[in-house]
Amino acid sequence: MSNFLRLLGRRLLALPVMLLGVTILVFVILQFTPGDPATIALGEGASEEAKAAYNREMGYDRPLVVQYFAFLARLVRFDLGMTTPPAQPVIDQIKMAFPMTLQLTFLGVVIAAVASLILGVVAALYRDRWPDQVIRVFSMASIATPSFWLGILLIQYFSLELGWFPSGGSSAPGAGFGPWINHMFLPALALAVPVSASLIRTVRTSMVEELDKDYVRTAIGNGVPRKQVITKNVLKNALITPVTVLGLRIGYLMGGAVVIEMIFSLNGMGNLIFNGITGNDINLVQGVVITIAVAFVLVNIVVDLLYMLINPRIRTV
């Protein structure tokens, strides 16, 4: 346990460094975006004096390094600036939009994890037989299917033709689980399918490698029921690699959620960043990108900790 705590301490100490790297990267990249912030905020017809006054007020006339540290100081106070007119605090916009993206990503992760676990285990247990062949074909087809295209197909079939699910909009979790899942299922499914496809192959490979190990044959040869060996030993050991892959894929899910939200008319971070890009709103784009990046870093730390908990070899290093 002491080794685990030492590794946990290292991860937490590395957290500020990673977050600092994220802020530097985002800040530098956005400096190369076209357009003058003063012109965007005040309009094309604004006078040069007004633009100069705006740049002085916002600090855009200072050296880039000074601007970065000023930005960092505001960030520590959770001040991400104001949107372009109508001026509203960016942090308030993110507070309203982020829960929707979080819900969508969470449900996508649950669907991807459950589907990949079930199908991956079935494919490994029926190796090279027809269930394995069917699942492998499904995996390859799903990997080649973009989320946005799958989302459009799901709307066309399940919303417009069958009428089972709404084609857009959302319902707050407080309004009840039924309406919430009714609105969220299709977008979460569109998000999860490409991710679950790659995870299925990872689970299958890990399970096959584990099933071929000597301790499995020895246990079964000594009379231990095969079902017991699989559920208590094989499955636990085989999940180590898929958990790591799933953690990396959560970042993909959050990025994919941006597009899916546009297709299903969900007011999440996707709509927010779209508004920021189309309106040349640097503060809004900067705030959304940093929020998603920070969430990605935090999720990966949680996955690292989960990996250490389920992998005894890491805990004893």
Side-chain angles (χ1 to χ4, degrees), residues 1-298:
M1 184 56 74
S2 60
N3 289 326
F4 171 75
L5 293 176
R6 194 159 46 244
L7 288 170
L8 174 61
R10 287 179 192 165
R11 293 291 189 275
L12 293 178
L13 286 174
L15 177 61
V17 178
M18 286 190 285
L19 295 181
L20 193 64
V22 167
T23 61
I24 293 172
L25 192 63
V26 172
F27 182 82
V28 170
I29 288 174
L30 287 179
Q31 296 309 309
F32 293 99
T33 53
D36 174 37
T39 305
I40 294 168
L42 303 178
E44 293 289 344
S47 64
E48 292 301 322
E49 291 78 11
K51 291 179 184 177
Y54 180 85
N55 284 332
R56 277 197 304 276
E57 182 185 353
M58 302 302 294
Y60 293 139
D61 58 342
R62 299 175 187 170
L64 205 58
V65 175
V66 177
Q67 286 187 48
Y68 171 71
F69 281 106
F71 160 73
L72 208 58
R74 291 198 307 273
L75 199 61
V76 171
R77 302 193 301 271
F78 296 101
D79 178 7
L80 296 172
M82 306 291 284
T83 62
T84 54
Q88 293 177 329
V90 171
I91 191 71
D92 289 349
Q93 300 288 310
I94 291 175
K95 281 180 183 175
M96 287 190 290
F98 191 62
M100 175 58 67
T101 302
L102 208 57
Q103 292 170 46
L104 181 58
T105 305
F106 173 75
L107 191 56
V109 169
V110 171
I111 293 174
V114 172
S116 59
L117 179 63
I118 293 173
L119 295 178
V121 170
V122 169
L125 295 179
Y126 292 90
R127 187 185 345 176
D128 296 331
R129 286 185 274 176
W130 72 264
D132 182 26
Q133 302 293 348
V134 170
I135 291 171
R136 288 166 72 178
V137 170
F138 167 76
S139 299
M140 286 187 285
S142 300
I143 287 174
T145 305
S147 287
F148 71 88
W149 189 64
L150 181 59
I152 293 171
L153 289 182
L154 291 174
I155 290 175
Q156 176 68 32
Y157 188 69
F158 291 104
S159 299
L160 302 182
E161 292 189 19
L162 298 178
W164 290 358
F165 298 95
S167 60
S170 62
S171 176
F177 180 75
W180 178 78
I181 195 69
N182 200 34
H183 282 86
M184 296 298 290
F185 183 72
L186 286 188
L189 184 64
L191 195 61
V193 166
V195 174
S196 64
S198 59
L199 272 175
I200 288 169
R201 300 175 67 177
T202 307
V203 172
R204 180 192 179 278
T205 303
S206 296
M207 281 288 294
V208 167
E209 288 176 355
E210 208 63 30
L211 286 168
D212 286 343
K213 288 186 176 175
D214 291 339
Y215 79 90
V216 176
R217 286 192 289 270
T218 303
I220 294 175
N222 288 333
V224 180
R226 189 167 186 261
K227 183 178 179 182
Q228 183 179 330
V229 175
I230 290 172
T231 54
K232 288 192 174 181
N233 302 100
V234 174
L235 197 55
K236 183 179 177 182
N237 294 333
L239 284 181
I240 292 172
T241 303
V243 165
T244 308
V245 174
L246 178 62
L248 297 174
R249 288 291 178 177
I250 289 176
Y252 171 85
L253 283 168
M254 293 192 76
V258 171
V259 178
I260 293 297
E261 285 172 7
M262 300 295 299
I263 295 172
F264 286 89
S265 303
L266 299 174
N267 292 320
M269 300 290 270
N271 268 328
L272 211 57
I273 199 167
F274 178 77
N275 293 336
I277 292 171
T278 54
N280 280 332
D281 191 333
I282 293 177
N283 285 343
L284 188 56
V285 174
Q286 196 166 245
V288 172
V289 172
I290 285 179
T291 304
I292 292 176
V294 169
F296 179 70
V297 169
L298 293 176

